[in-house]
Amino acid sequence: MPSSPKTATSGKTLKEMRALARSRGLRGYSRLSRAELGKLLSRRGGENSPVTGKTGKTATTKPAAKARVTSAQSAAKPALTRTQKEQKAAPVARATSLPVPEAAPKWEWVTESRRQPVDEEQVKSAKYATVLPGTAVPHTESADLNEDIDILPSVTEPTLCLLPQKPGVLHGYWIVPPNSIPNPQSLKLRLGRIARDTFEIFDEISLPDVRGRWYFHVDGSADVGAVYLQLGYYDPGGRFVTATRRGIARIPSLYASDRIDRLWWVSEEQFRAMYHRAGGHVRGPRLGWAASISSPGGAPFSDRLAWPGNVSSR
Amino acid sequence: MNPKGYFALVLHAHLPFVRHPEHDRFLEEDWFFEAMTETYLPLLEVFEGLARDGAHFRVTMSLTPTLLSMMTDPLLQNRYVRYLDERLEALEGERRRTEGNAYFQPVVMYYRDLYRRLRQRFVEQDRLDVTRSFRSLMETGHLDILTCGATHGYFPLLAVNEESLYAQLSMAIRTHQRILGRRPRGIWLPECGYKPGLDRLLREFGIEYFILDSHGLLNADPRPKYGVHRPIRTPEGPAAFGRDYESSKQVWAAEEGYPGDPVYREFYRDAGFDVHEPHIRKLHHAGIPTFTGLKYHRITGKTNWKEPYHPGWARERAAEHAGHFMFNRQQQVNWLTSFFDRPPIILAPYDAELFGHWWFEGPQWIEYLLRKMAYDQDEIKTITPSEYLDRYSDLQPASPPECSWGAGGFHEVWLNGSNDWIYPYLHGAAEKMAALVQRFPDAQGAQRWALDQAGRELLLAQSSDWAFIMKTGTSVDYAVRRFKTHLHRFHRCAGMVESGNYDPPYLNEIAARDSLFPDMDYRIFQTRPWT
């Protein structure tokens, strides 16, 4: 059994887990206990089923050509940090999260700045409204072209992609077609960055299945540069062998730059005033934006995932 | 006399391409008809009235390529006339039903006059094509029209395949030029989605400026000296304008914003649900009550009790709100000029459909605002971003961060548990399309036909609307089906090209349905501009 589900939610508070569920678009999680929620997240986080969408049917994946894992694709196993070494010794949990998430955000929302998502969604989706909310839309289907749209295309090449979702959260998806990689049970996903010629691992999970998607939470408070997602396995010598092209993404910035252009000099006071009037936050040493509060190292809190001032952002 | 500051009103008009010739009537086509009735035509009336009166005003609008395609589509044009005729017929029934009812008959008569007027202008003045009117306002300099992604694809999440971005931009510029007769100077990035490096592509396409949400400028590196009140110059050259938060808030905010005023028209109370008479039932789709656009109540309060709508009162309130808005902009400009060494620009972008469709009195509010700005003061002058750049070209160089104007400010609206399943398919299809372009650089005949249609289908699948609808839960089934249909058609076309076995009847049929972009050239899916 893949070990990753345990690692994904271990160490998270109930509030953080609920926020994680929200960020994944799950519903009905607020009534679940911590253990139930952990199970749900583990199941959904590494969800391997292809798309079901609204029309019900699932996709099929045809057998594909075997992916070649060449020596050129092999990479030396990076030097592990102390924490990683300790965690590697543990039989199950592999996930690490570096830099260490902060327990609390650096600054708080001002109360009056919270938006009401219900209002915002009403406004935003009004142009697509044809019936009252909650009413079934009459659906006219055309079958005259013999299009079985629910059979989605198969993927024949091993695929790996990393996308930034928001500060502190990255989304990765992978597809390992059957027979394309030997021993897919041993596959792992590694998220990290290259620092001082070594691959510094932020997170590592066993592949829950040959096809899936995952939300990685990293510290969004610092600019860590490019973040890499690798899919591969450890060979008997402990070297990590990559099985696909890697995914690369940058974590979006939360904060105002500290740099000031000499020719366009702006005083700290003036910039803070403009930042504040524009809905940003100026508490503490840094100037941060709305989404930042949701990010440092963990999942967003649903009541903070907001735009300031009840403003619809669409 | 030079003004103290400038105000740029930017309206982003967009709808996904919804056109279903295979059905005699199709519910989601009402998205377009409702927006035409409540937003696009009323806005044109406002702008033309101002121009006729010689008022100085400038407005910037983005008309997306999908919207331009629908506005110029003969099938939708004729169906829109039918839509208006059906409502006029229903209103005749409503006139009889409300005879002697002092509360509701005035509203019914108001709608009858409105629909008659709109029908007359659409048929006689626009000759079924409203893009003519937008174009003539553009040519007189009152309107600056921006382009957008060809199908409103969300660039930061499509950027995995750079070919997709080139294709979105190439087709957008072609369509803009074909329908409006000139190349766009600026672009409304779909959902204001920006990713570092995008400025290079925009430069390659000759785009001079784009618009970002406030944090796109405020978090730029280095710090922008003028905040969001003056554009910055991105590393590759195009200028980035920033959204002004304060002016946005007054219109968008749910409680403190103008559209929530009790006197304004209530969006959710509609004759389609309230009136159970044969003449209204005729407007239902498949026997299910739907919005008809005939709404007779005002917001009144937070309870379900709604009082009759009074257009005159609402109009007065719109004028008051316009005055309030202008006063606040004057205060804002006075504050900014206290420490700025050049005139600030206050750029206020909104979804165009907010005005009229959601906030029925929105176009009236715009009219009052522009008139007041033209006649009642001289501190603020309306301007377009193009004009601003022509006057002030010395901009601070800075790099904007990755951002969007979606909830939270980044990509979460279009990438979350409800819609993340689409991306492996979108990226895979784009990769396949790019490979086909490389493999068949000079396709002819049926091969070219299939490749061009594959390009259309892929662009349609990339529309950000599907992911947005999946997230917000309105018409989810339709969005999922549209995404899957275009993906299916793309792969079927690509399969024909790969196998050499073409299915002309099928190609004919899908080309007739997904008929936008008649000048499609599949070679737009490569990493260079193909315009």
Side-chain angles (χ1 to χ4, degrees), chain B residues 160-218:
Chain B
V160 170
N161 312 92
E162 212 171 62
E163 294 87 352
S164 291
L165 305 188
Y166 278 97
Q168 285 278 342
L169 288 166
S170 292
M171 206 62 240
I173 288 169
R174 277 173 174 236
T175 306
H176 194 92
Q177 215 163 356
R178 176 171 56 84
I179 296 176
L180 296 172
R182 62 169 74 158
R183 279 181 79 91
R185 288 183 68 182
I187 188 169
W188 177 273
L189 294 174
E191 317 292 3
C192 294
Y194 181 80
K195 192 179 174 69
L198 204 48
D199 52 334
R200 173 177 56 79
L201 271 73
L202 299 180
R203 175 183 54 73
E204 287 177 32
F205 282 94
I207 297 287
E208 295 173 43
Y209 69 90
F210 56 96
I211 292 156
L212 295 177
D213 204 338
S214 314
H215 58 305
L217 255 70
L218 289 170

Side-chain angles (χ1 to χ4, degrees), chain A residues 48-112:
Chain A
N48 62 348
S49 60
V51 182
T52 52
K54 279 277 167 184
T55 45
K57 295 182 189 173
T58 56
T60 55
T61 310
K62 290 178 186 168
K66 214 172 176 181
R68 297 180 64 191
V69 182
T70 63
S71 57
Q73 286 173 298
S74 304
K77 192 172 179 180
L80 297 179
T81 62
R82 188 177 163 188
T83 320
Q84 286 170 316
K85 280 176 188 164
E86 284 165 3
Q87 293 196 346
K88 189 159 173 52
V92 180
R94 272 203 159 277
T96 59
S97 186
L98 295 174
V100 179
E102 291 172 53
K106 285 185 174 168
W107 23 258
E108 289 288 343
W109 281 101
V110 282
T111 314
E112 66 272 21

Side-chain angles (χ1 to χ4, degrees), chain B residues 335-361:
Chain B
W335 178 70
L336 289 167
T337 47
S338 68
F339 55 90
F340 272 22
D341 53 6
R342 51 196 85 186
I345 181 170
I346 296 171
L347 187 132
Y350 308 97
D351 261 357
E353 296 79 16
L354 167 73
F355 297 93
H357 185 50
W358 172 257
W359 178 18
F360 186 61
E361 299 76 10

Side-chain angles (χ1 to χ4, degrees), chain B residues 17 65-73 175 178-179 516-517:
Chain B
F17 188 73
T66 48
L67 186 59
L68 286 172
S69 301
M70 288 194 285
M71 285 173 169
T72 50
D73 181 80
T175 306
R178 176 171 56 84
I179 296 176
L516 77 177
F517 308 145

Side-chain angles (χ1 to χ4, degrees), chain A residues 28-170:
Chain A
Y29 54 81
S30 58
R31 289 187 297 274
L32 299 181
S33 68
R34 191 175 186 285
E36 289 168 330
L37 189 54
K39 262 188 204 169
L40 178 71
L41 287 170
S42 303
R43 186 152 45 87
R44 294 296 300 252
E47 195 167 5
N48 62 348
S49 60
V51 182
T52 52
K54 279 277 167 184
T55 45
K57 295 182 189 173
T58 56
T60 55
T61 310
K62 290 178 186 168
K66 214 172 176 181
R68 297 180 64 191
V69 182
T70 63
S71 57
Q73 286 173 298
S74 304
K77 192 172 179 180
L80 297 179
T81 62
R82 188 177 163 188
T83 320
Q84 286 170 316
K85 280 176 188 164
E86 284 165 3
Q87 293 196 346
K88 189 159 173 52
V92 180
R94 272 203 159 277
T96 59
S97 186
L98 295 174
V100 179
E102 291 172 53
K106 285 185 174 168
W107 23 258
E108 289 288 343
W109 281 101
V110 282
T111 314
E112 66 272 21
S113 293
R114 295 182 183 172
R115 83 176 159 99
Q116 293 170 2
V118 176
D119 291 338
E120 182 183 317
E121 289 194 353
Q122 275 180 352
V123 177
K124 283 166 24 175
S125 54
K127 70 180 178 184
Y128 307 112
T130 49
V131 295
L132 285 175
T135 315
V137 181
H139 185 232
T140 323
E141 204 165 323
S142 174
D144 58 328
L145 292 180
N146 288 322
E147 293 177 315
D148 193 349
I149 61 168
D150 291 315
I151 297 180
L152 290 165
S154 57
V155 176
T156 54
E157 297 288 331
T159 303
L160 180 68
C161 183
L162 185 65
L163 299 166
Q165 189 205 36
K166 61 184 171 186
V169 185
L170 295 156

Side-chain angles (χ1 to χ4, degrees), chain A residues 24 128 144 257 275 313-314, chain B residues 219 221 252 405 417 465 513:
Chain A
R24 290 185 185 167
Y128 307 112
D144 58 328
S257 168
Y275 207 90
S313 51
R314 193 174 150 79
Chain B
N219 286 358
D221 180 43
W252 274 116
W405 81 337
D465 302 84
R513 293 182 189 188

Side-chain angles (χ1 to χ4, degrees), chain A residues 2-5 7-8 24 42 44-48 77-78 80 84 87-88 92-97 158-163 170-176 181 183-193 199-218 227-234 240-248:
Chain A
S3 59
S4 56
T7 66
R24 290 185 185 167
S42 303
R44 294 296 300 252
E47 195 167 5
N48 62 348
K77 192 172 179 180
L80 297 179
Q84 286 170 316
Q87 293 196 346
K88 189 159 173 52
V92 180
R94 272 203 159 277
T96 59
S97 186
T159 303
L160 180 68
C161 183
L162 185 65
L163 299 166
L170 295 156
H171 172 74
Y173 70 77
W174 64 93
I175 303 165
V176 181
I181 291 176
N183 202 12
Q185 299 90 320
S186 63
L187 287 174
K188 296 185 185 306
L189 281 173
R190 299 200 318 182
L191 184 82
R193 66 167 173 173
F199 189 69
E200 184 184 2
I201 300 172
F202 293 169
D203 205 351
E204 180 174 308
I205 61 170
S206 293
L207 212 60
D209 213 316
V210 292
R211 182 179 186 127
R213 47 194 194 265
W214 198 269
Y215 287 87
F216 296 94
H217 293 259
V218 293
V227 180
Y228 298 85
L229 183 63
Q230 297 178 328
L231 190 155
Y233 57 89
Y234 287 103
F240 191 77
V241 183
T242 56
T244 63
R245 285 184 298 183
R246 64 192 179 181
I248 306 174

